[in-house]
Amino acid sequence: MSSMNEYLREVFKWNQEMRDFLESENIDGNNELWQKLNSLTNVMDRMDQPLNTDELGSLSEKVEEIHEEMEAYFNERLQLGAIYANETSVPAGKHVLPPLPYGYNALEPYISEEIMRLHHDKHHKAYVDGLNKAEDALERARATGDFSLVKHWSRELAFHGSGHYLHTIFWNNMSPEGGGKPSGALLAQIKKYFGSYEQFKKHFTEAAKEVEGVGWAILVWSPRSRHLEILQSERHQLLTQWDTIPLLVLDVWEHAYYLQYQNKRADYIDNWWKIVNWKDVETRFQHAGELKWKPV
């Protein structure tokens, strides 16, 4: 009996330490770690009688499950810390085209190899080159004091920079093993704001269909309002909300689908849902949720 009491005291202590840690990390209350710790706390709060063997075993399993998830979280933070410690910034004019995270034909039949090669190697590369050219020009302007073309190069910086960064997100937002639905805290937020996953998907799909001309449909997280939102971006440097963080993006410029789908944008969008990489979106949401501004 004394050993069981000692174990319970350790569990109580560990549970409080983990709660203090999550608070210090500003982890959103909807995060799965919080939900599991709250569940454990509720169980322990109801323990006014000694536990039998089965109850103790169930409690031990719950503690072990949470411990493994906390350990995974710690490991991820350590890896991110190592990345940030060793990563240098990108000098002006030195951006490079990132490789695709899968083969050019990996998304077939939903997006053809021909489109992926053209889209990545030509269009995305053009954004990278344009961004470097704009940064180099503005660097020379700062050095010489000649800002006579600052309006032009600022526009180029916005256009090509937005194209480069959005496409980088776009490639990782897709996967040959994608599709299905999100899970965890992201799904909870989707249901909270949009009512259901189905309503969110319908809203996003219609926003993508109705972008005027060319552009993007974008799911974003707003650190100020603390909720998700769906935006349209026509000519991707315009019609944005600058204080939001993109989570899921869909390119509906014609070069993204026309060779395969011609003018049937709706078919392209419907098939795109089958390759959405929700794990990537969930990871982006987790890190975005850690950033908190004063609500205004």
Side-chain angles (χ1 to χ4, degrees):
M1 182 64 68
S2 60
S3 61
M4 185 178 74
N5 290 336
E6 180 65 26
Y7 171 73
L8 291 177
R9 281 196 294 271
E10 289 298 319
V11 172
F12 270 105
K13 179 181 177 182
W14 176 81
N15 184 44
Q16 187 57 52
E17 289 174 349
M18 292 302 97
R19 297 180 71 85
D20 292 341
F21 170 77
L22 293 186
E23 287 183 357
S24 69
E25 290 281 290
N26 292 320
I27 303 300
D28 189 90
N30 290 314
N31 188 282
E32 283 186 286
L33 293 176
W34 266 121
Q35 295 175 16
K36 289 182 180 297
L37 283 177
N38 288 337
S39 174
L40 178 61
T41 300
N42 290 336
V43 171
M44 300 177 73
D45 286 345
R46 294 195 300 268
M47 290 192 313
D48 53 0
Q49 299 293 330
L51 298 178
N52 59 39
T53 303
D54 291 340
E55 291 171 328
L56 186 61
S58 177
L59 177 63
S60 178
E61 289 178 4
K62 187 180 290 292
V63 169
E64 184 63 27
E65 178 185 356
I66 299 174
H67 181 270
E68 289 178 358
E69 295 195 17
M70 293 296 292
E71 188 174 64
Y73 178 81
F74 286 134
N75 289 335
E76 182 180 4
R77 289 304 298 268
L78 287 173
Q79 291 172 4
L80 287 173
I83 291 172
Y84 292 137
N86 298 322
E87 189 72 18
T88 58
S89 62
V90 179
K94 301 300 181 184
H95 297 275
V96 297
L97 178 68
L100 291 176
Y102 34 72
Y104 288 100
N105 64 349
L107 302 182
E108 291 188 333
Y110 309 114
I111 301 180
S112 70
E113 177 179 353
E114 182 183 16
I115 283 180
M116 291 301 293
R117 287 188 180 277
L118 177 66
H119 198 169
H120 177 265
D121 296 358
K122 301 298 184 182
H123 289 279
H124 190 173
K125 180 62 162 56
Y127 290 127
V128 174
D129 293 343
L131 174 60
N132 286 333
K133 186 176 180 179
E135 287 187 346
D136 286 339
L138 289 168
E139 187 176 47
R140 287 193 299 272
R142 291 190 293 273
T144 63
D146 180 5
F147 288 95
S148 58
L149 294 177
V150 66
K151 184 176 182 179
H152 167 75
W153 289 117
S154 294
R155 286 175 172 173
E156 291 289 289
L157 186 72
F159 178 75
H160 291 290
S162 294
H164 171 44
Y165 296 133
L166 281 171
H167 278 88
T168 301
I169 298 171
F170 182 57
W171 306 136
N172 289 284
N173 273 172
M174 299 183 291
S175 168
E177 291 78 39
K181 295 183 179 181
S183 61
L186 176 59
L187 181 59
Q189 278 289 342
I190 286 175
K191 291 180 177 179
K192 178 181 179 181
Y193 190 67
F194 296 102
S196 69
Y197 171 75
E198 289 70 26
Q199 287 177 277
F200 151 74
K201 183 178 178 181
K202 178 65 173 175
H203 182 167
F204 191 98
T205 297
E206 294 302 316
K209 290 179 182 178
E210 296 301 321
V211 173
E212 293 185 9
V214 293
W216 300 74
I218 306 177
L219 174 69
V220 302
W221 172 253
S222 171
R224 294 199 186 275
S225 60
R226 305 298 296 166
H227 66 64
L228 300 167
E229 194 55 88
I230 294 171
L231 302 176
Q232 293 175 315
S233 178
E234 179 191 348
R235 292 173 53 200
H236 49 218
Q237 78 275 30
L238 304 176
L239 300 180
T240 187
Q241 291 179 343
W242 290 104
D243 210 17
T244 60
I245 301 172
L247 304 178
L248 174 67
V249 304
L250 171 57
D251 190 347
V252 289
W253 287 56
E254 288 186 346
H255 64 242
Y257 65 89
Y258 200 84
L259 282 176
Q260 183 175 357
Y261 293 92
Q262 298 180 359
N263 65 338
K264 299 176 181 178
R265 182 191 289 188
D267 291 348
Y268 161 67
I269 296 168
D270 289 342
N271 279 328
W272 175 79
W273 286 106
K274 300 171 185 175
I275 52 175
V276 171
N277 183 5
W278 286 112
K279 289 297 182 182
D280 177 68
V281 185
E282 290 165 14
T283 299
R284 293 182 63 82
F285 174 68
Q286 176 186 338
H287 295 305
E290 295 173 5
L291 178 62
K292 295 183 179 179
W293 301 126
K294 181 180 178 181
V296 292

